[in-house]
């Protein structure tokens, strides 16, 4: 029940940040890469375009954080399962009288 509430809380935070937007200025290496490419080759045409319209930098930052949290959760779950399997194999069953 608690993990379900935690996931619902993360989803609610992401949804809230999408609706509220914001005007904070968060720039990352993607913007720096675009600037460097345009300086080196002004006629460069990208291979593809984004499916979504450009989002505010704060929304992009929130989505990146949500992606990192989901990835960390999946990694933690997998490592926990692997550790549990290993412990189950290495423990000896109790002796029966």
């Amino acid at each position: 029940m608690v993990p379900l509430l935690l996931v619902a809380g993360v989803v609610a935070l992401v949804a809230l940040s999408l609706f509220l937007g914001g005007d904070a200025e968060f720039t990352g290496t993607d913007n720096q890469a675009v600037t460097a490419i345009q300086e080196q080759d002004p006629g460069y045409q990208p291979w593809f375009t984004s499916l979504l319209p450009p989002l505010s930098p704060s929304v992009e930052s929130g989505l990146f954080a949500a992606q990192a949290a989901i990835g960390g959760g999946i990694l933690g779950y997998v490592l926990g399962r692997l550790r549990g399997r290993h412990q189950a194999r290495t423990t000896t069953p109790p002796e029966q009288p």
Side-chain angles (χ1 to χ4, degrees):
M1 181 69 167
V2 173
L4 184 62
L5 291 174
L6 289 174
V7 170
V10 169
V11 170
L13 284 173
V14 170
L16 183 65
S17 69
L18 286 173
F19 287 121
L20 294 179
D23 58 351
E25 190 64 32
F26 296 106
T27 59
T29 56
D30 291 342
N31 294 338
Q32 294 173 357
V34 169
T35 303
I37 290 171
Q38 289 173 345
E39 287 175 358
Q40 291 178 2
D41 186 7
Y44 176 77
Q45 293 294 325
W47 293 359
F48 58 90
T49 58
S50 177
L51 298 175
L52 300 174
L55 302 172
S56 72
S58 61
V59 173
E60 289 180 6
S61 177
L63 290 174
F64 180 76
Q67 177 185 359
I70 291 168
I74 291 171
L75 181 65
Y77 175 78
V78 169
L79 290 176
R81 292 284 295 194
L82 290 174
R83 182 171 185 228
R85 284 184 188 176
H86 178 71
Q87 286 179 345
R89 275 188 270 138
T90 58
T91 57
T92 58
E95 294 182 22
Q96 298 189 8

